[in-house]
Amino acid sequence: MNSVLNQGHEEGPVARAIEKQTAKLPSDTYLWAAVGAMGVSLALQCLRQKHISLFIGQWAAPFLLMGIYNKIVKVEGHD
């Protein structure tokens, strides 16, 4: 079915290499990375390190997005 949907569209070598490596990681890795970033951000806020806290806190969303991408690749497959 994927071949029908992806006619004429292929992943580049970089995307294929990334997918191959990230498929080895459990999906929980990305969730825990996001929770960890939020925890570190909270700790830094408590230590009155506002700027670095905001920087680290913004990592949570990209980690979650990478987890979603990883899950989609595992479920749907790739080229």
Side-chain angles (χ1 to χ4, degrees):
M1 180 158 180
N2 283 341
S3 61
V4 174
L5 297 175
N6 278 341
Q7 288 179 349
H9 303 317
E10 288 187 13
E11 295 289 348
V14 174
R16 263 186 261 129
I18 291 170
E19 289 173 1
K20 186 176 180 180
Q21 294 303 314
T22 58
K24 296 176 185 177
L25 293 172
S27 297
D28 288 2
T29 304
Y30 298 100
L31 177 61
W32 287 113
V35 170
M38 289 185 280
V40 169
S41 177
L42 176 63
L44 288 167
Q45 278 286 342
C46 292
L47 295 171
R48 301 189 191 278
Q49 299 291 320
K50 183 178 178 180
H51 293 292
I52 190 73
S53 168
L54 293 174
F55 176 69
I56 301 291
Q58 290 178 354
W59 294 359
F63 284 140
L64 293 172
L65 286 171
M66 287 188 291
I68 290 169
Y69 177 77
N70 184 42
K71 184 64 102 176
I72 289 170
V73 169
K74 284 182 178 179
V75 172
E76 295 295 324
H78 52 80
D79 294 331

